[in-house]
Amino acid sequence: MHFLSILEYNLVDMKRLEFLFLILFFFIIIEGRAIVFSSNIEVLRVEGIVVPAVTDYIERGITKAEKDNSLCVIELNTPGGLLNSTDKIVKRIVNSKVPVVVYVYPKTAWAASAGAFITLSAHIAAMTPGTTIGAAHPVTTGGEKISKEHMKKIVNFSAKWMETIAKERGRNIKEARLAVTESKSFRDDEALRCNLIDIQAKNLKQLISLINGKKVTLSNGKEIIIDTKQYKIIKNDMNSIEHFLQIISNPNIVYVLLTLAIIGLITEVSHPGVIFPGVVGGISLFLAFYSLGVLNAYWGGIALILLATLFFMAEIFTVSFGLLTAGGIISLVMGSLVLFSHTPEIKINLSLVIGVSIVITAFFILLIGIVIKDRKRKKTAGAESMVGKTAITKTSLNPKGTVLIEGELWYAISINGEIKAGEEVVVKKVKGLNLWVTKNNKEEK
């Protein structure tokens, strides 16, 4: 009996011990795998080139999602962008305290170059059918000429960066590297098959349904199981400042601003005091320089466009009968073509360059015509224009007196004797402030 009592006592203790282990294990599971029960899903929309304004927007959106403990979805459609901006966005996503989903959307959208890095850095990467990702080979900016050896180092560094991102997210490292080293691109179905993305979804609603139950690991090592059975979508669009800065950071908009600056400032120079064209031109010039700095424009292209402006201004003051204008147009076109020549994803539409060249040519043909007319008018204006005109004597001329001509009183000197007041006279010459006149008789008429 004593032996049975001891055995029974030990069995009870073992059950208690098992129960304690179960409780401890349960707390470990809860601590390591918290479930997100959030009713909100923050949706950001990135359309266009990745520039500092986009970086600020994504930073603001993810911060808000963290504050509200919400899932963050970034709808992405970009041809690429700046390395610094891309680096900041990738770091922000990787270190986010909430799950971030990057969704290449809508159809025909792409996540090229910078977009590929951003998409692969997401906790969950998704694409809609008919979209493309890849072509992340690095390019130089600002017209920088570098050796093949240096370029090889840049490519290797970018490839390693892509490998690190892919490894962090458990994606296909080999294919991710090829997107950099060989500028390889992938359709949405190819990207899914190669394990570069996690989900194919036709729309946002299907995406939210498909990510339900997905497990992700945050930067602090905490595992999250996403629960989207009940949710509320909150569209977090760019604010007015972010939107404005992104718009003027578009290379085509920059080119239009430069055109307005050239036309406005030259109009003000040729017609001082008009004011409005000068104001518009000055503002456009400052906005253009801001955007050129953001986009790392090639300094050679900027120099050629400034040279074109100098040619146009010189034409106004010298009138070379179109030679300087022709030189300005050639310089403008060449500058436009090389302005972003070393950044393939950032380029000016060729049709816009042609259109602007035609508009500026027509503008200067018109402006030069006005300048020539003004100069001819100056030769026939003022005192010299009075030669041959008739006047009425206000006082008798013996030989000096005054005459009324075109509503103005002038001192006059009679060339051939005394002329009485009230008679018509003809101006023969102008010397200083005196008119030399003769009597307007029938013979002179």
Side-chain angles (χ1 to χ4, degrees):
M1 290 294 294
H2 179 69
F3 173 76
L4 290 175
S5 297
I6 293 173
L7 181 61
E8 184 179 354
Y9 179 79
N10 287 337
L11 288 172
V12 171
D13 281 350
M14 287 179 66
K15 287 181 180 180
R16 288 176 181 173
L17 189 60
E18 287 177 0
F19 181 70
L20 289 174
F21 271 117
L22 285 173
I23 293 175
L24 181 61
F25 182 72
F26 174 76
F27 277 112
I28 290 172
I29 294 297
I30 292 299
E31 179 63 24
R33 300 179 62 186
I35 299 177
V36 176
F37 292 103
S38 176
S39 60
N40 294 341
I41 298 178
E42 293 281 338
V43 179
L44 312 181
R45 179 67 186 154
V46 175
E47 182 88 29
I49 298 170
V50 177
V51 291
V54 174
T55 304
D56 295 339
Y57 169 53
I58 291 178
E59 167 69 33
R60 180 173 62 82
I62 294 178
T63 299
K64 185 176 183 299
E66 289 175 338
K67 183 179 179 181
D68 299 337
N69 194 34
S70 303
L71 179 70
C72 182
V73 176
I74 301 173
E75 293 180 344
L76 183 66
N77 179 19
T78 178
L82 305 177
L83 179 61
N84 289 341
S85 298
T86 305
D87 180 47
K88 290 178 182 177
I89 292 171
V90 168
K91 286 178 179 176
R92 189 66 184 90
I93 292 173
V94 170
N95 292 286
S96 173
K97 297 176 183 177
V98 295
V100 176
V101 179
V102 174
Y103 179 35
V104 184
Y105 179 86
K107 282 188 176 182
T108 72
W110 53 344
S113 192
F117 285 94
I118 293 170
T119 304
L120 267 63
S121 70
H123 297 97
I124 297 175
M127 297 174 70
T128 198
T131 54
T132 312
I133 189 172
H137 191 283
V139 292
T140 59
T141 59
E144 182 184 4
K145 293 182 179 180
I146 59 176
S147 65
K148 290 183 178 179
E149 187 64 29
H150 191 190
M151 188 62 192
K152 185 179 178 181
K153 290 179 180 179
I154 294 174
V155 172
N156 287 336
F157 175 80
S158 299
K160 285 294 182 182
W161 185 28
M162 182 68 89
E163 286 180 7
T164 302
I165 293 171
K167 184 178 180 181
E168 174 71 17
R169 296 300 184 218
R171 310 196 194 285
N172 191 321
I173 296 174
K174 181 181 177 182
E175 295 295 341
R177 181 182 175 85
L178 289 175
V180 176
T181 57
E182 298 183 10
S183 292
K184 188 174 180 179
S185 296
F186 305 84
R187 296 192 310 268
D188 55 283
D189 56 332
E190 293 172 335
L192 183 64
R193 187 169 60 252
C194 293
N195 188 30
L196 290 176
I197 63 171
D198 307 297
I199 293 173
Q200 250 183 327
K202 294 180 180 179
N203 49 48
L204 183 61
K205 184 178 180 180
Q206 186 182 38
L207 172 67
I208 293 172
S209 175
L210 291 174
I211 64 177
N212 183 54
K214 286 279 185 181
K215 183 178 73 173
V216 300
T217 303
L218 301 180
S219 60
N220 59 7
K222 189 174 183 180
E223 290 185 345
I224 301 292
I225 297 177
I226 298 173
D227 186 341
T228 59
K229 292 175 183 176
Q230 293 182 342
Y231 64 89
K232 177 183 178 182
I233 292 177
I234 298 177
K235 293 281 186 179
N236 189 353
D237 297 324
M238 281 188 166
N239 60 38
S240 56
I241 295 176
E242 292 164 344
H243 189 59
F244 174 74
L245 292 177
Q246 188 193 27
I247 287 174
I248 66 171
S249 296
N250 183 301
N252 293 318
I253 300 299
V254 173
Y255 194 59
V256 171
L257 288 172
L258 281 173
T259 304
L260 288 175
I262 292 171
I263 293 176
L265 293 176
I266 290 178
T267 301
E268 185 64 34
V269 169
S270 61
H271 295 79
V274 179
I275 298 175
F276 180 73
V279 171
V280 173
I283 293 173
S284 298
L285 184 65
F286 278 107
L287 292 176
F289 276 134
Y290 162 80
S291 300
L292 290 170
V294 165
L295 297 174
N296 291 326
Y298 177 32
W299 64 266
I302 298 173
L304 283 169
I305 292 174
L306 291 177
L307 180 62
T309 306
L310 292 176
F311 280 148
F312 294 142
M313 287 186 175
E315 181 70 77
I316 294 172
F317 295 105
T318 60
V319 187
S320 66
F321 300 99
L323 291 177
L324 288 171
T325 298
I329 294 297
I330 293 171
S331 182
L332 177 65
V333 172
M334 290 177 62
S336 305
L337 294 177
V338 303
L339 194 60
F340 301 109
S341 59
H342 295 269
T343 312
E345 64 267 30
I346 301 177
K347 59 184 178 180
I348 302 171
N349 192 306
L350 184 59
S351 60
L352 179 62
V353 174
I354 296 171
V356 165
S357 300
I358 293 171
V359 168
I360 289 184
T361 301
F363 170 76
F364 275 97
I365 289 173
L366 178 64
L367 185 62
I368 290 168
I370 293 172
V371 170
I372 292 173
K373 286 181 181 179
D374 283 345
R375 290 182 180 180
K376 287 182 177 179
R377 191 177 296 117
K378 286 179 181 178
K379 292 180 180 179
T380 59
E384 284 76 8
S385 66
M386 296 183 185
V387 175
K389 293 184 178 180
T390 60
I392 302 294
T393 57
K394 296 297 290 182
T395 64
S396 60
L397 304 181
N398 188 24
K400 296 182 179 180
T402 57
V403 298
L404 183 67
I405 181 170
E406 294 184 345
E408 296 179 339
L409 283 175
W410 283 76
Y411 290 110
I413 300 173
S414 174
I415 295 175
N416 50 3
E418 182 180 357
I419 302 174
K420 294 180 180 180
E423 299 216 19
E424 281 192 357
V425 292
V426 177
V427 178
K428 292 298 182 179
K429 70 176 182 178
V430 179
K431 188 174 181 181
L433 297 176
N434 294 319
L435 305 180
W436 296 72
V437 300
T438 60
K439 190 173 180 180
N440 188 14
N441 52 43
K442 291 182 180 180
E443 288 77 13
E444 293 176 312
K445 290 180 181 178

mmCIF file with all atom_site columns, all heavy atoms in Angstrom, residues 98-114:
data_model
loop_
_atom_site.group_PDB
_atom_site.id
_atom_site.type_symbol
_atom_site.label_atom_id
_atom_site.label_alt_id
_atom_site.label_comp_id
_atom_site.label_asym_id
_atom_site.label_entity_id
_atom_site.label_seq_id
_atom_site.pdbx_PDB_ins_code
_atom_site.Cartn_x
_atom_site.Cartn_y
_atom_site.Cartn_z
_atom_site.occupancy
_atom_site.B_iso_or_equiv
_atom_site.pdbx_formal_charge
_atom_site.auth_seq_id
_atom_site.auth_comp_id
_atom_site.auth_asym_id
_atom_site.auth_atom_id
_atom_site.pdbx_PDB_model_num
ATOM 1   N N   . VAL A 1 98  ? 4.948  47.072 -38.241 1.00 0.00 ? 98  VAL A N   1
ATOM 2   C CA  . VAL A 1 98  ? 3.724  46.399 -38.691 1.00 0.00 ? 98  VAL A CA  1
ATOM 3   C C   . VAL A 1 98  ? 4.004  45.772 -40.055 1.00 0.00 ? 98  VAL A C   1
ATOM 4   O O   . VAL A 1 98  ? 4.921  46.198 -40.769 1.00 0.00 ? 98  VAL A O   1
ATOM 5   C CB  . VAL A 1 98  ? 2.531  47.380 -38.800 1.00 0.00 ? 98  VAL A CB  1
ATOM 6   C CG1 . VAL A 1 98  ? 2.153  47.935 -37.436 1.00 0.00 ? 98  VAL A CG1 1
ATOM 7   C CG2 . VAL A 1 98  ? 2.854  48.518 -39.776 1.00 0.00 ? 98  VAL A CG2 1
ATOM 8   N N   . PRO A 1 99  ? 3.246  44.756 -40.443 1.00 0.00 ? 99  PRO A N   1
ATOM 9   C CA  . PRO A 1 99  ? 3.453  44.135 -41.756 1.00 0.00 ? 99  PRO A CA  1
ATOM 10  C C   . PRO A 1 99  ? 3.207  45.125 -42.896 1.00 0.00 ? 99  PRO A C   1
ATOM 11  O O   . PRO A 1 99  ? 2.247  45.892 -42.864 1.00 0.00 ? 99  PRO A O   1
ATOM 12  C CB  . PRO A 1 99  ? 2.428  43.000 -41.786 1.00 0.00 ? 99  PRO A CB  1
ATOM 13  C CG  . PRO A 1 99  ? 2.123  42.726 -40.348 1.00 0.00 ? 99  PRO A CG  1
ATOM 14  C CD  . PRO A 1 99  ? 2.215  44.041 -39.659 1.00 0.00 ? 99  PRO A CD  1
ATOM 15  N N   . VAL A 1 100 ? 4.082  45.079 -43.893 1.00 0.00 ? 100 VAL A N   1
ATOM 16  C CA  . VAL A 1 100 ? 3.931  45.940 -45.076 1.00 0.00 ? 100 VAL A CA  1
ATOM 17  C C   . VAL A 1 100 ? 3.780  45.051 -46.307 1.00 0.00 ? 100 VAL A C   1
ATOM 18  O O   . VAL A 1 100 ? 4.607  44.166 -46.555 1.00 0.00 ? 100 VAL A O   1
ATOM 19  C CB  . VAL A 1 100 ? 5.148  46.876 -45.252 1.00 0.00 ? 100 VAL A CB  1
ATOM 20  C CG1 . VAL A 1 100 ? 5.012  47.698 -46.539 1.00 0.00 ? 100 VAL A CG1 1
ATOM 21  C CG2 . VAL A 1 100 ? 5.287  47.808 -44.050 1.00 0.00 ? 100 VAL A CG2 1
ATOM 22  N N   . VAL A 1 101 ? 2.743  45.303 -47.073 1.00 0.00 ? 101 VAL A N   1
ATOM 23  C CA  . VAL A 1 101 ? 2.491  44.571 -48.313 1.00 0.00 ? 101 VAL A CA  1
ATOM 24  C C   . VAL A 1 101 ? 2.723  45.530 -49.475 1.00 0.00 ? 101 VAL A C   1
ATOM 25  O O   . VAL A 1 101 ? 2.161  46.628 -49.501 1.00 0.00 ? 101 VAL A O   1
ATOM 26  C CB  . VAL A 1 101 ? 1.036  44.040 -48.369 1.00 0.00 ? 101 VAL A CB  1
ATOM 27  C CG1 . VAL A 1 101 ? 0.792  43.293 -49.681 1.00 0.00 ? 101 VAL A CG1 1
ATOM 28  C CG2 . VAL A 1 101 ? 0.747  43.154 -47.174 1.00 0.00 ? 101 VAL A CG2 1
ATOM 29  N N   . VAL A 1 102 ? 3.563  45.132 -50.435 1.00 0.00 ? 102 VAL A N   1
ATOM 30  C CA  . VAL A 1 102 ? 3.745  45.930 -51.658 1.00 0.00 ? 102 VAL A CA  1
ATOM 31  C C   . VAL A 1 102 ? 3.026  45.201 -52.784 1.00 0.00 ? 102 VAL A C   1
ATOM 32  O O   . VAL A 1 102 ? 3.293  44.031 -53.052 1.00 0.00 ? 102 VAL A O   1
ATOM 33  C CB  . VAL A 1 102 ? 5.235  46.126 -51.998 1.00 0.00 ? 102 VAL A CB  1
ATOM 34  C CG1 . VAL A 1 102 ? 5.376  46.826 -53.350 1.00 0.00 ? 102 VAL A CG1 1
ATOM 35  C CG2 . VAL A 1 102 ? 5.922  46.952 -50.920 1.00 0.00 ? 102 VAL A CG2 1
ATOM 36  N N   . TYR A 1 103 ? 2.114  45.917 -53.422 1.00 0.00 ? 103 TYR A N   1
ATOM 37  C CA  . TYR A 1 103 ? 1.234  45.329 -54.437 1.00 0.00 ? 103 TYR A CA  1
ATOM 38  C C   . TYR A 1 103 ? 1.435  46.083 -55.751 1.00 0.00 ? 103 TYR A C   1
ATOM 39  O O   . TYR A 1 103 ? 1.071  47.255 -55.856 1.00 0.00 ? 103 TYR A O   1
ATOM 40  C CB  . TYR A 1 103 ? -0.214 45.441 -53.936 1.00 0.00 ? 103 TYR A CB  1
ATOM 41  C CG  . TYR A 1 103 ? -1.273 44.899 -54.853 1.00 0.00 ? 103 TYR A CG  1
ATOM 42  C CD1 . TYR A 1 103 ? -1.056 43.783 -55.648 1.00 0.00 ? 103 TYR A CD1 1
ATOM 43  C CD2 . TYR A 1 103 ? -2.527 45.505 -54.893 1.00 0.00 ? 103 TYR A CD2 1
ATOM 44  C CE1 . TYR A 1 103 ? -2.052 43.284 -56.468 1.00 0.00 ? 103 TYR A CE1 1
ATOM 45  C CE2 . TYR A 1 103 ? -3.539 45.010 -55.707 1.00 0.00 ? 103 TYR A CE2 1
ATOM 46  C CZ  . TYR A 1 103 ? -3.298 43.903 -56.499 1.00 0.00 ? 103 TYR A CZ  1
ATOM 47  O OH  . TYR A 1 103 ? -4.287 43.400 -57.313 1.00 0.00 ? 103 TYR A OH  1
ATOM 48  N N   . VAL A 1 104 ? 2.042  45.423 -56.744 1.00 0.00 ? 104 VAL A N   1
ATOM 49  C CA  . VAL A 1 104 ? 2.242  46.046 -58.053 1.00 0.00 ? 104 VAL A CA  1
ATOM 50  C C   . VAL A 1 104 ? 0.894  46.072 -58.765 1.00 0.00 ? 104 VAL A C   1
ATOM 51  O O   . VAL A 1 104 ? 0.348  45.024 -59.131 1.00 0.00 ? 104 VAL A O   1
ATOM 52  C CB  . VAL A 1 104 ? 3.297  45.279 -58.883 1.00 0.00 ? 104 VAL A CB  1
ATOM 53  C CG1 . VAL A 1 104 ? 3.557  46.010 -60.205 1.00 0.00 ? 104 VAL A CG1 1
ATOM 54  C CG2 . VAL A 1 104 ? 4.591  45.137 -58.092 1.00 0.00 ? 104 VAL A CG2 1
ATOM 55  N N   . TYR A 1 105 ? 0.387  47.278 -58.970 1.00 0.00 ? 105 TYR A N   1
ATOM 56  C CA  . TYR A 1 105 ? -1.002 47.451 -59.423 1.00 0.00 ? 105 TYR A CA  1
ATOM 57  C C   . TYR A 1 105 ? -1.135 48.814 -60.075 1.00 0.00 ? 105 TYR A C   1
ATOM 58  O O   . TYR A 1 105 ? -0.418 49.742 -59.701 1.00 0.00 ? 105 TYR A O   1
ATOM 59  C CB  . TYR A 1 105 ? -1.928 47.341 -58.199 1.00 0.00 ? 105 TYR A CB  1
ATOM 60  C CG  . TYR A 1 105 ? -3.397 47.511 -58.487 1.00 0.00 ? 105 TYR A CG  1
ATOM 61  C CD1 . TYR A 1 105 ? -4.177 46.424 -58.892 1.00 0.00 ? 105 TYR A CD1 1
ATOM 62  C CD2 . TYR A 1 105 ? -4.010 48.758 -58.352 1.00 0.00 ? 105 TYR A CD2 1
ATOM 63  C CE1 . TYR A 1 105 ? -5.524 46.584 -59.143 1.00 0.00 ? 105 TYR A CE1 1
ATOM 64  C CE2 . TYR A 1 105 ? -5.361 48.915 -58.606 1.00 0.00 ? 105 TYR A CE2 1
ATOM 65  C CZ  . TYR A 1 105 ? -6.113 47.831 -59.007 1.00 0.00 ? 105 TYR A CZ  1
ATOM 66  O OH  . TYR A 1 105 ? -7.450 47.982 -59.261 1.00 0.00 ? 105 TYR A OH  1
ATOM 67  N N   . PRO A 1 106 ? -1.986 49.016 -61.077 1.00 0.00 ? 106 PRO A N   1
ATOM 68  C CA  . PRO A 1 106 ? -2.952 48.100 -61.713 1.00 0.00 ? 106 PRO A CA  1
ATOM 69  C C   . PRO A 1 106 ? -2.335 47.341 -62.883 1.00 0.00 ? 106 PRO A C   1
ATOM 70  O O   . PRO A 1 106 ? -1.114 47.284 -62.995 1.00 0.00 ? 106 PRO A O   1
ATOM 71  C CB  . PRO A 1 106 ? -4.031 49.065 -62.198 1.00 0.00 ? 106 PRO A CB  1
ATOM 72  C CG  . PRO A 1 106 ? -3.253 50.296 -62.566 1.00 0.00 ? 106 PRO A CG  1
ATOM 73  C CD  . PRO A 1 106 ? -2.133 50.395 -61.560 1.00 0.00 ? 106 PRO A CD  1
ATOM 74  N N   . LYS A 1 107 ? -3.174 46.798 -63.767 1.00 0.00 ? 107 LYS A N   1
ATOM 75  C CA  . LYS A 1 107 ? -2.679 46.084 -64.940 1.00 0.00 ? 107 LYS A CA  1
ATOM 76  C C   . LYS A 1 107 ? -1.792 47.008 -65.765 1.00 0.00 ? 107 LYS A C   1
ATOM 77  O O   . LYS A 1 107 ? -2.055 48.210 -65.860 1.00 0.00 ? 107 LYS A O   1
ATOM 78  C CB  . LYS A 1 107 ? -3.840 45.578 -65.806 1.00 0.00 ? 107 LYS A CB  1
ATOM 79  C CG  . LYS A 1 107 ? -4.511 44.332 -65.255 1.00 0.00 ? 107 LYS A CG  1
ATOM 80  C CD  . LYS A 1 107 ? -5.513 43.767 -66.256 1.00 0.00 ? 107 LYS A CD  1
ATOM 81  C CE  . LYS A 1 107 ? -6.102 42.461 -65.728 1.00 0.00 ? 107 LYS A CE  1
ATOM 82  N NZ  . LYS A 1 107 ? -7.048 41.852 -66.692 1.00 0.00 ? 107 LYS A NZ  1
ATOM 83  N N   . THR A 1 108 ? -0.766 46.414 -66.360 1.00 0.00 ? 108 THR A N   1
ATOM 84  C CA  . THR A 1 108 ? 0.271  47.103 -67.157 1.00 0.00 ? 108 THR A CA  1
ATOM 85  C C   . THR A 1 108 ? 1.227  47.909 -66.283 1.00 0.00 ? 108 THR A C   1
ATOM 86  O O   . THR A 1 108 ? 2.139  48.553 -66.802 1.00 0.00 ? 108 THR A O   1
ATOM 87  C CB  . THR A 1 108 ? -0.307 48.030 -68.249 1.00 0.00 ? 108 THR A CB  1
ATOM 88  O OG1 . THR A 1 108 ? -0.894 49.194 -67.662 1.00 0.00 ? 108 THR A OG1 1
ATOM 89  C CG2 . THR A 1 108 ? -1.344 47.298 -69.095 1.00 0.00 ? 108 THR A CG2 1
ATOM 90  N N   . ALA A 1 109 ? 1.031  47.899 -64.975 1.00 0.00 ? 109 ALA A N   1
ATOM 91  C CA  . ALA A 1 109 ? 1.969  48.589 -64.074 1.00 0.00 ? 109 ALA A CA  1
ATOM 92  C C   . ALA A 1 109 ? 3.263  47.805 -64.022 1.00 0.00 ? 109 ALA A C   1
ATOM 93  O O   . ALA A 1 109 ? 3.325  46.636 -64.398 1.00 0.00 ? 109 ALA A O   1
ATOM 94  C CB  . ALA A 1 109 ? 1.362  48.722 -62.679 1.00 0.00 ? 109 ALA A CB  1
ATOM 95  N N   . TRP A 1 110 ? 4.307  48.456 -63.535 1.00 0.00 ? 110 TRP A N   1
ATOM 96  C CA  . TRP A 1 110 ? 5.594  47.774 -63.402 1.00 0.00 ? 110 TRP A CA  1
ATOM 97  C C   . TRP A 1 110 ? 6.317  48.239 -62.152 1.00 0.00 ? 110 TRP A C   1
ATOM 98  O O   . TRP A 1 110 ? 6.064  49.318 -61.634 1.00 0.00 ? 110 TRP A O   1
ATOM 99  C CB  . TRP A 1 110 ? 6.460  47.953 -64.644 1.00 0.00 ? 110 TRP A CB  1
ATOM 100 C CG  . TRP A 1 110 ? 6.692  49.368 -65.100 1.00 0.00 ? 110 TRP A CG  1
ATOM 101 C CD1 . TRP A 1 110 ? 6.001  50.480 -64.736 1.00 0.00 ? 110 TRP A CD1 1
ATOM 102 C CD2 . TRP A 1 110 ? 7.678  49.819 -66.031 1.00 0.00 ? 110 TRP A CD2 1
ATOM 103 N NE1 . TRP A 1 110 ? 6.492  51.590 -65.373 1.00 0.00 ? 110 TRP A NE1 1
ATOM 104 C CE2 . TRP A 1 110 ? 7.523  51.215 -66.176 1.00 0.00 ? 110 TRP A CE2 1
ATOM 105 C CE3 . TRP A 1 110 ? 8.678  49.183 -66.743 1.00 0.00 ? 110 TRP A CE3 1
ATOM 106 C CZ2 . TRP A 1 110 ? 8.335  51.985 -67.012 1.00 0.00 ? 110 TRP A CZ2 1
ATOM 107 C CZ3 . TRP A 1 110 ? 9.479  49.953 -67.577 1.00 0.00 ? 110 TRP A CZ3 1
ATOM 108 C CH2 . TRP A 1 110 ? 9.299  51.326 -67.707 1.00 0.00 ? 110 TRP A CH2 1
ATOM 109 N N   . ALA A 1 111 ? 7.198  47.371 -61.699 1.00 0.00 ? 111 ALA A N   1
ATOM 110 C CA  . ALA A 1 111 ? 8.063  47.697 -60.564 1.00 0.00 ? 111 ALA A CA  1
ATOM 111 C C   . ALA A 1 111 ? 9.486  47.508 -61.062 1.00 0.00 ? 111 ALA A C   1
ATOM 112 O O   . ALA A 1 111 ? 10.155 46.516 -60.765 1.00 0.00 ? 111 ALA A O   1
ATOM 113 C CB  . ALA A 1 111 ? 7.765  46.802 -59.375 1.00 0.00 ? 111 ALA A CB  1
ATOM 114 N N   . ALA A 1 112 ? 9.921  48.457 -61.873 1.00 0.00 ? 112 ALA A N   1
ATOM 115 C CA  . ALA A 1 112 ? 11.246 48.357 -62.497 1.00 0.00 ? 112 ALA A CA  1
ATOM 116 C C   . ALA A 1 112 ? 12.293 49.030 -61.627 1.00 0.00 ? 112 ALA A C   1
ATOM 117 O O   . ALA A 1 112 ? 11.986 49.938 -60.863 1.00 0.00 ? 112 ALA A O   1
ATOM 118 C CB  . ALA A 1 112 ? 11.217 49.002 -63.885 1.00 0.00 ? 112 ALA A CB  1
ATOM 119 N N   . SER A 1 113 ? 13.528 48.564 -61.764 1.00 0.00 ? 113 SER A N   1
ATOM 120 C CA  . SER A 1 113 ? 14.669 49.182 -61.096 1.00 0.00 ? 113 SER A CA  1
ATOM 121 C C   . SER A 1 113 ? 14.413 49.369 -59.600 1.00 0.00 ? 113 SER A C   1
ATOM 122 O O   . SER A 1 113 ? 14.330 48.408 -58.867 1.00 0.00 ? 113 SER A O   1
ATOM 123 C CB  . SER A 1 113 ? 14.993 50.519 -61.773 1.00 0.00 ? 113 SER A CB  1
ATOM 124 O OG  . SER A 1 113 ? 16.234 51.022 -61.350 1.00 0.00 ? 113 SER A OG  1
ATOM 125 N N   . ALA A 1 114 ? 14.263 50.611 -59.159 1.00 0.00 ? 114 ALA A N   1
ATOM 126 C CA  . ALA A 1 114 ? 14.003 50.874 -57.735 1.00 0.00 ? 114 ALA A CA  1
ATOM 127 C C   . ALA A 1 114 ? 12.761 50.142 -57.250 1.00 0.00 ? 114 ALA A C   1
ATOM 128 O O   . ALA A 1 114 ? 12.697 49.682 -56.101 1.00 0.00 ? 114 ALA A O   1
ATOM 129 C CB  . ALA A 1 114 ? 13.860 52.374 -57.506 1.00 0.00 ? 114 ALA A CB  1
#
